[in-house]
Amino acid sequence: MNAEPAHSAAPSHGFLRRRVFTTEHRALAVLYLLIGLAAVIVGTLLSLVIRIHRVWPTVPFPLYGILRPEDYLAVVTMHGTLMVFFVLTVVPQSAFPNLVLAEQIGTRRMAFPRLNATAFWITLASFLALLAAFFVPQGAPISGWTSYPPFSAIAATGPGQGAGMDCWLASIALFCIAAVASSANFLATIVARRGPGMTFGRLPLTVWSWLTSSALTVIAFSALFGAALMLFADRHFGTSFFIPAGEVINGIARSGGASGSPMLWLHLFWFFGHPEVYISILPGMGLASALLANFTRRPVLGYRFMVIATLMIGFLGLGVWGHHMFVSGMNPYAGTAFGLTTIAIAVPSSAEVLTWLAMLFRGRLRLSTPMLFTLGFISFFISGGLTGPILAQPALDAYLHNTFFVVAHFHLVMAMAGVFSLFAGIYYWYPLLTGRLMNEMLGKAHFWISLIGAYGTFFPMHLAGLAGEPRHYAQLAGPVESFPSLIPVERGITFAALTLAAAQLIFLFNVFRSARHGDRAGENPWRATTHEWSPDLHPITRGEPYVYGPYPGGTKDFLPQWELAAPATSAQPYPSGAKPE
């Protein structure tokens, strides 16, 4: 396969026109991946600062010195914002659809190429606006990635809450605009630009996951955009959407204006915040189904059932935001209702997990690197998801809320599961961009070290949370010996985090080395069935997306969507001892 995208629709121009100022979706996918790479590097370095400071609080950092408590909160805020928005949203919900969505539905381009390109540039502006918060007077904001008012609404609440907080709000507002524009383009493309023969019943499950997550993005990010504008108005225009009357901050009383409520921000933010979990994880679920079919050489069990489960997860995901607010003073009856919806959403999620396990049972499993990372995704999704129903109980959440138990839960089910699905997708689709395969030995080393490092980092946090360790304490040692018995646990977590971060150097080396020296991939290296691997620029969809196993009239173990099945009357049995390819 050539290094150029097989389905490129862009005219032949100079480098800037083809690779930077482009409307071609696959070139935009590469640019989104570069944003994700930059964000994950900065976010990972910030996470290491967090871990080192927690166990060695007096260690000076190069070019900075000893971290103060307010600096620690700024690092936590920027780490969370970078990872949630610019890694776990940008890569699965912007980069991957641009890479393969159009081809998977049998078309050459997106519905709105210029809108698609505009969304990228707004995303880049959002990323730069967030990074600018490091360099403005007083530095980055300290309100956490959730930015709860009234502290985030009044600049006098602390360092970073002035220009740094404004940079954060500008970044989030721009990101919302870009995410809604990009998702609207994906929705229009799926609905209106499917190729000949590509009915909704023949869509790959990855496309169904992007359809669902795009719909969630349009709804959830619209709410967050409105909330960001309201918070900005409270900060600069004297409104009181989120500030109670008579609020006193640092001895300064807020005068004038009507009485607002911080609870309104919680409702608006978490109406976005919990669907954001599914915006990040649903693409990984669709990819897991596709890769399990490919690497077990078995059809997806219950295709229509999996589609319905995906849509149910999206629908129910809009009704569970209140479980983040059990200790906020919310009506207990509302808490019970949100607890029930949270339990309800576990049903379709569990159904998909059981389907994946059934596909593994007696499947002809090939443990290539993409399959290993898919299994890692499933492992984290299960282990992190099991603690979800615990936090869905108001009585239990009252104790565990804002402890490291919550950090462990969402880092396993969202961060690690999400990141492992991203690695699976990159290893799997890498040949589409370079024409080469990534090195398998390096890929497997990357997987095993990352798996051990991830569990070593986040699983012990459950124990720290059960012991009552709060998540926003700057340190456990030093002048305040708050949790001395947990210091050895924290040290172990930090060493595991350093191991996890070091493993990613193997991945980066593999990515850049394989682009020049990797094995040639050929046209369809994974013997896949979906259209991104089709040699035809204008494929006609003739069958289902995941047809594996011996089929009548052939000697292969897969039937691509662009090929016709041989008539049943011409079926020939395999010769004795013969095996499918």
Side-chain angles (χ1 to χ4, degrees), residues 390-411:
I390 295 174
L391 294 172
Q393 307 303 316
L396 297 176
D397 185 74
Y399 175 76
L400 295 171
H401 184 82
N402 223 31
T403 69
F404 264 84
F405 192 93
V406 177
V407 177
H409 163 71
F410 77 73
H411 272 87

Side-chain angles (χ1 to χ4, degrees), residues 332-352:
Y333 292 105
T336 301
F338 283 117
L340 291 175
T341 57
T342 305
I343 296 297
I345 203 171
V347 175
S349 301
S350 301
E352 292 215 17

Side-chain angles (χ1 to χ4, degrees), residues 324-509:
H324 295 271
M325 302 165 56
F326 286 151
V327 299
S328 65
M330 184 173 59
N331 188 304
Y333 292 105
T336 301
F338 283 117
L340 291 175
T341 57
T342 305
I343 296 297
I345 203 171
V347 175
S349 301
S350 301
E352 292 215 17
V353 170
L354 292 174
T355 301
W356 296 332
L357 297 179
M359 292 173 67
L360 287 170
F361 180 68
R362 299 183 67 181
R364 291 171 291 168
L365 188 61
R366 295 182 299 165
L367 289 177
S368 300
T369 304
M371 185 69 249
L372 286 174
F373 276 99
T374 301
L375 294 175
F377 163 81
I378 296 172
S379 171
F380 288 121
F381 189 78
I382 294 172
S383 59
L386 287 174
T387 56
I390 295 174
L391 294 172
Q393 307 303 316
L396 297 176
D397 185 74
Y399 175 76
L400 295 171
H401 184 82
N402 223 31
T403 69
F404 264 84
F405 192 93
V406 177
V407 177
H409 163 71
F410 77 73
H411 272 87
L412 285 177
V413 78
M414 183 180 177
M416 288 299 98
V419 167
F420 268 55
S421 72
L422 301 186
F423 285 135
I426 291 170
Y427 279 100
Y428 182 69
W429 284 317
Y430 187 81
L432 294 176
L433 294 174
T434 65
R436 298 178 182 272
L437 294 166
M438 293 179 70
N439 183 277
E440 278 289 305
M441 184 180 71
L442 292 175
K444 290 176 179 178
H446 173 219
F447 167 76
W448 286 111
I449 299 173
S450 296
L451 184 78
I452 295 169
Y455 271 116
T457 300
F458 299 111
F459 197 81
M461 289 184 184
H462 292 97
L463 304 177
L466 289 170
E469 181 182 347
R471 58 191 288 193
H472 289 140
Y473 275 29
Q475 63 187 60
L476 300 179
V480 180
E481 294 280 353
S482 302
F483 291 90
S485 62
L486 292 177
I487 292 176
V489 177
E490 286 285 341
R491 281 204 190 96
I493 292 172
T494 298
F495 288 129
L498 291 169
T499 302
L500 177 61
Q504 309 323 306
L505 298 176
I506 301 174
F507 170 73
L508 292 176
F509 176 76

Side-chain angles (χ1 to χ4, degrees), residues 4 6 123 180 182 209-210 224 235 287 298 305 312-313 324 376 396 468 545 549 570:
E4 292 294 324
T123 302
V180 170
S182 180
S209 69
W210 286 319
L224 181 62
R235 290 174 57 82
L287 182 62
R298 297 187 66 180
F305 172 78
M312 284 183 63
I313 290 171
H324 295 271
L396 297 176
S570 64

